[in-house]
Amino acid sequence: MRGDLSQKTIALVFTGDEFADGSPEILRTLKKHRTQASFFLTGNFYAKPAFRSLIRDIRKSGHYLGAHSDKHLLYADWVKRDSLLVTEDEFKKDLLANYSKMLPFGVGSKDAPYFIPPYEWYNKQIVSWTEDLGLQVVNFSPGTSSTADYTYPEMGKSYRSSAEIYDSILDFEKGDPHGLNGFILLVHIGTDPRRKDKFYDKLDQLLTELKAKQYTFVKINKLLD
């Protein structure tokens, strides 16, 4: 969930399943800042014809391409986290299906050993089953509201504006004794159309501000290997 606390490095990661509306702005911003990032995408995403050229662009740009499950399954009960909603066979078949859909883009399990579970929600059994496949579960570093960039006003109290999310990142950086050192910062490559206030539109500003604080951005494998 976090890398070396002594290094001012951050892994910027994007997850995706059904939406990719942020991809033009995200890739433009990453290119502008000469920044490498990591993209964890579902099998649904990899298999969608409309996203093929985008995935090839991500690969060509040297970013990390990883898995996020095939069908974006919910592995465990939201309330009783130790209560599994999938069997071992269902879990492994789904994850391997995700990797099989990555192969046409030149990415195998050896190229992408790190895996972010769908909904970023899992338990020890999921970690163990993932290890059986020679893979490693990773997750975002807690403490900011970056993962709430998918919310929209109709969700009521769960909604977080882009300004709130942005401020939560900088507030954490100021308040944590290690700042954002070794941080895995997760946002989404696309969000529901009902969210008009897109956080990826603030990515350029965020990278500019954090780089001014001497942070560097690396792919997830470089942060954790």
Side-chain angles (χ1 to χ4, degrees):
M1 294 172 71
R2 198 159 178 177
D4 189 346
L5 297 179
S6 68
Q7 302 296 317
K8 291 182 74 71
T9 53
I10 298 171
L12 181 62
V13 304
F14 299 90
T15 57
D17 179 37
E18 58 180 320
F19 302 116
D21 49 284
S23 57
E25 177 64 17
I26 290 168
L27 291 181
R28 183 197 68 78
T29 301
L30 294 175
K31 183 177 181 180
K32 173 184 175 181
H33 289 271
R34 299 180 180 178
T35 292
Q36 295 286 284
S38 304
F39 294 80
F40 291 86
L41 311 171
T42 64
N44 294 331
F45 196 106
Y46 283 107
K48 193 168 184 176
F51 294 162
R52 287 174 187 164
S53 62
L54 164 62
I55 297 167
R56 286 193 288 266
D57 287 345
I58 293 172
R59 176 76 164 154
K60 185 178 180 180
S61 298
H63 302 297
Y64 181 98
L65 275 172
H68 193 44
S69 86
D70 188 45
K71 298 300 182 184
H72 208 251
L73 305 178
L74 181 62
Y75 295 149
D77 187 271
W78 286 116
V79 178
K80 296 182 179 180
R81 192 165 182 160
D82 61 344
S83 297
L84 285 166
L85 301 178
V86 294
T87 66
E88 179 178 0
D89 186 59
E90 288 170 338
F91 166 77
K92 290 183 176 179
K93 282 184 177 179
D94 178 80
L95 183 52
L96 291 175
N98 191 172
Y99 277 92
S100 71
K101 290 175 182 175
M102 294 161 59
L103 285 176
F105 299 97
V107 182
S109 58
K110 291 183 179 179
D111 305 300
Y114 296 113
F115 158 60
I116 293 183
Y119 303 101
E120 296 76 58
W121 191 250
Y122 57 98
N123 57 29
K124 291 181 179 180
Q125 188 62 72
I126 295 298
V127 173
S128 177
W129 289 343
T130 303
E131 290 175 347
D132 289 345
L133 298 174
L135 304 169
Q136 172 70 52
V137 168
V138 296
N139 202 7
F140 66 89
S141 302
T144 79
S145 299
S146 72
T147 59
D149 67 329
Y150 76 93
T151 60
Y152 45 87
E154 289 84 350
M155 296 177 72
K157 293 181 179 180
S158 298
Y159 175 69
R160 296 291 181 274
S161 70
S162 293
E164 288 179 275
I165 294 170
Y166 192 98
D167 289 344
S168 78
I169 296 170
L170 296 185
D171 289 345
F172 183 92
E173 195 276 333
K174 293 176 184 177
D176 189 280
H178 302 290
L180 290 172
N181 291 7
F183 212 79
I184 301 173
L185 185 65
L186 187 150
V187 293
H188 294 88
I189 193 171
T191 60
D192 193 290
R194 285 172 287 185
R195 183 183 180 96
K196 307 302 181 185
D197 175 25
K198 305 290 189 175
F199 182 69
Y200 50 72
D201 288 332
K202 287 187 173 292
L203 185 60
D204 187 5
Q205 179 185 351
L206 180 65
L207 292 184
T208 299
E209 188 155 0
L210 291 179
K211 288 175 75 173
K213 294 176 180 288
Q214 306 305 310
Y215 287 100
T216 58
F217 292 83
V218 298
K219 293 188 287 187
I220 191 80
N221 53 326
K222 187 170 183 181
L223 184 84
L224 300 178
D225 282 354

